[in-house]
Amino acid sequence: MPVTASSKSYRVGRSKTGLGLFATMPIKKGTRIIRYFGPILDSRIPEQDDIENKYLFELNGRWTIDGSVRKNLARYINHSCRPNAESDVRPRERKVFIRAIKNIEPGDEINYDYGTDYFKAYLKPIGCKCPSCETKRKKQRAEARAERAKVKARTERKAKKVAPKATKKKKLNGHAVGKANGRARA
């Protein structure tokens, strides 16, 4: 049975995506951090199936936990594509525990992967803001800037090569044609 973290091993704080859950003391890999809880909803009951909020945690095709209860601090755990925790779902018991999959240092944000369905429905349209995706986007923007700079430099080099050709005097029947003091030469 995994060790459960003490109740003071995390705190709610400000993160890049809003509020988040942060470690206040070291949390070892495999430790249960917190339980995700709230009223259990049955998808067979139309009134309960129509509830829409971003704190719904699906246990299976029938049961869902409504985590919007204020006491449920686990609802503040944000998504990450490279998480340091994972959900331990127990559908028969109708419980969900969040467990560390890496050692978490004090001050680190606790996060887990929300899954592909949630990602596609809610995160993809606005863009994932987890640290790994932010780093990936920064790298892509830097590469795009470098590519634009290369294209601009290439265009300027071509313009410099073309410019001397345009300033050369044109010859008409073997004679140079140009303007001198406002008059045309022949």
Side-chain angles (χ1 to χ4, degrees):
M1 181 157 179
V3 178
T4 304
S6 74
S7 62
K8 297 186 185 209
S9 63
Y10 50 82
R11 68 171 176 78
V12 175
R14 181 71 50 199
S15 81
K16 286 185 177 183
T17 58
L19 292 176
L21 202 66
F22 292 85
T24 57
M25 53 189 2
I27 301 172
K28 290 184 179 180
K29 179 181 177 180
T31 304
R32 270 193 206 158
I33 302 169
I34 192 170
R35 181 176 167 213
Y36 196 97
F37 67 91
I40 306 293
L41 305 176
D42 188 347
S43 64
R44 294 185 306 174
I45 301 172
E47 300 85 44
Q48 291 183 355
D49 195 35
D50 292 339
I51 293 176
E52 273 294 318
N53 71 52
K54 60 183 180 179
Y55 301 115
L56 297 176
F57 197 109
E58 190 174 299
L59 296 172
N60 56 29
R62 180 176 174 192
W63 302 106
T64 302
I65 297 175
D66 181 2
S68 61
V69 178
R70 285 242 191 234
K71 289 184 179 181
N72 179 24
L73 296 181
R75 71 187 186 147
Y76 294 112
I77 300 175
N78 290 314
H79 165 80
S80 178
C81 295
R82 291 196 177 161
N84 56 14
E86 69 181 0
S87 57
D88 182 11
V89 182
R90 299 182 177 188
R92 286 187 176 193
E93 298 172 24
R94 298 185 190 147
K95 291 182 181 180
V96 174
F97 294 98
I98 307 303
R99 184 171 32 99
I101 58 172
K102 297 178 183 176
N103 289 332
I104 303 171
E105 297 301 318
D108 288 352
E109 185 174 3
I110 300 167
N111 46 47
Y112 66 94
D113 189 349
Y114 285 0
T116 55
D117 294 340
Y118 188 93
F119 185 86
K120 287 178 183 176
Y122 297 102
L123 298 175
K124 194 171 184 179
I126 60 170
C128 181
K129 293 182 172 114
C130 76
S132 64
C133 289
E134 284 288 328
T135 304
K136 191 186 308 180
R137 274 197 296 280
K138 283 180 184 177
K139 183 179 176 184
Q140 288 172 343
R141 286 193 298 263
E143 288 172 353
R145 277 194 304 274
E147 185 62 32
R148 285 193 303 269
K150 281 182 186 176
V151 169
K152 185 178 178 182
R154 197 176 309 132
T155 306
E156 288 174 356
R157 282 195 305 271
K158 284 183 181 178
K160 285 180 182 178
K161 287 181 180 178
V162 172
K165 291 178 183 177
T167 58
K168 288 183 180 178
K169 295 181 180 178
K170 295 181 181 178
K171 292 186 176 185
L172 184 63
N173 292 331
H175 299 294
V177 177
K179 287 187 174 183
N181 297 330
R183 288 182 254 149
R185 279 197 210 160

